[in-house]
Structures are given as structure tokens and as C-alpha cells.
Amino acid sequence: MDLLDHGLVLAVAFVAGAVNAVAGGGSLLTFPALLAVGFDAVPASITNTLGLLPGYLGGAHAYRAEIAAQRGRARTLAVPAGLGA
């Protein structure tokens, strides 16, 4: 990747972060951008998923009070969700 590729990925990442903050779906921008700069599909998917992880953790932290109220439901659904995954 050259400097232009880095700039493209950085710009798309900022826009995708804003999209995720408003409505979700930033991966629809970042995944194709990673493919466009030369990543193969599997590394692009892994990079995309790991890139989103801090946002998910931040969202979970911000909504921890609301999440705590759902603790019983999460315990009930954890096994079927794990089996389905």
C-alpha cells in the first residue's frame, strides 16, 4: 500500500465511523475500500471486523446501565445464540 492507499482507507474509516454512529452499516464502506487497495477478501473481512471492535466496546460501555437491565434475557439466550453461531 502506498501513501494514497493509506489516505483512502483513513478517509473511508472516518466516514464509516460517522455512519456507524448514526445508523450502522459502516462496513459497507470499509470492506470495499480494503478490497480496493489490494487486500484479499478474508484479510479484509478480518481487518474490518477487528477495526469495528473498539466501537462495539465503546457502545457497550456507554449503554452499560441499559445492558444491565437485560442480564436475565442475555443469560437465557446465550446458549441458543452460541449454538447458532
Side-chain angles (χ1 to χ4, degrees):
M1 284 185 14
D2 62 10
L3 190 57
L4 185 61
D5 291 340
H6 284 282
L8 171 70
V9 171
L10 181 65
V12 170
F14 276 106
V15 173
V19 169
N20 275 343
V22 174
S27 292
L28 295 172
L29 301 171
T30 54
F31 184 70
L34 291 168
L35 293 176
V37 298
F39 278 74
D40 289 330
V42 173
S45 178
I46 294 168
T47 301
N48 189 51
T49 301
L50 289 177
L52 294 173
L53 186 61
Y56 292 144
L57 295 175
H61 180 71
Y63 285 98
R64 64 190 177 279
E66 288 83 359
I67 293 170
Q70 301 297 323
R71 188 162 300 179
R73 181 182 291 177
R75 285 189 185 123
T76 302
L77 296 174
V79 172
L83 292 173

